[in-house]
Amino acid sequence: MSASVTTDTYLLLGTNMGDRLALLKQALEEITEQVAPYTRISSIYETAAWGNVNQPQYLNQVVQVSTSLPPSALLEKTQAIEKKLGRKRLVKWEARFIDIDILFYGAQIIDTPDLQIPHPHIAERNFTLTPLAEIAPMLVHPTLKKTVTELLHQTTDRLPVHRL
């Protein structure tokens, strides 16, 4: 019996409604149960809202999991976790109880109507790059061919990101 192949995957967790710390903890528990235990986890950061700035501050955290789920199944699982924890998808960039973005799935490049990997806004978002650089500074973006650290130094996003 052969072991299943796993892929290092990076997920961004974000929340700006309800008990934000408890929601991050619940999301991590659900990810561990339904996707895979995390192998690395960043600190928690409080960040300004991006996109739609007229909303409460977010807590963001990046986790690395090594999963055997294919990307489409991973998306289904993460969206089911979001729904279970109270996420309703009504308006783009709205306030939310929990958001789970797939940032990277190994070095794969996926571009379908439902799923874009690497996440299309990584290089534009300080709130993504800062926690990602904490746990994977030398990870290379498969299309931009730059490390996470290089992307962090080059981003034009100057919204505040503070470690809790």
Side-chain angles (χ1 to χ4, degrees):
M1 186 166 176
S2 64
S4 58
V5 176
T6 61
T7 302
D8 284 337
T9 305
Y10 293 86
L11 305 173
L12 173 69
L13 312 181
T15 172
N16 73 339
M17 292 173 65
D19 184 339
R20 300 175 303 163
L21 285 171
L23 284 161
L24 286 178
K25 185 173 185 279
Q26 282 180 277
L28 276 175
E29 289 168 0
E30 293 290 334
I31 288 166
T32 298
E33 287 176 23
Q34 298 186 41
V35 177
Y38 60 85
T39 50
R40 285 194 274 180
I41 185 168
S42 77
S43 301
I44 297 171
Y45 292 84
E46 188 162 45
T47 66
W50 185 95
N52 175 2
V53 297
N54 296 317
Q55 55 182 302
Q57 300 251 345
Y58 276 81
L59 291 185
N60 291 108
Q61 187 171 38
V62 171
V63 297
Q64 176 189 9
V65 298
S66 191
T67 184
S68 57
L69 292 173
S72 57
L74 177 60
L75 179 64
E76 286 176 21
K77 292 278 189 193
T78 58
Q79 288 183 341
I81 293 167
E82 289 176 344
K83 189 173 182 181
K84 180 177 181 179
L85 298 182
R87 171 90 189 257
K88 292 175 174 46
R89 292 177 178 272
L90 304 172
V91 179
K92 190 170 186 163
W93 295 325
E94 67 188 342
R96 59 205 62 169
F97 286 106
I98 195 72
D99 185 33
I100 305 171
D101 288 341
I102 303 169
L103 300 176
F104 293 105
Y105 186 92
Q108 287 195 35
I109 299 165
I110 299 167
D111 189 5
T112 68
D114 296 327
L115 185 59
Q116 292 83 46
I117 299 175
H119 191 286
H121 298 294
I122 290 171
E124 305 161 24
R125 294 176 169 177
N126 213 2
F127 71 86
T128 302
L129 290 167
T130 300
L132 185 58
E134 181 185 335
I135 64 169
M138 301 315 291
L139 180 67
V140 175
H141 192 293
T143 57
L144 300 177
K145 306 294 186 211
K146 293 180 181 180
T147 66
V148 170
T149 301
E150 288 172 317
L151 294 173
L152 178 60
H153 291 310
Q154 294 172 4
T155 188
T156 57
D157 179 8
R158 294 293 168 240
L159 290 173
V161 175
H162 303 287
R163 189 188 320 226
L164 279 196

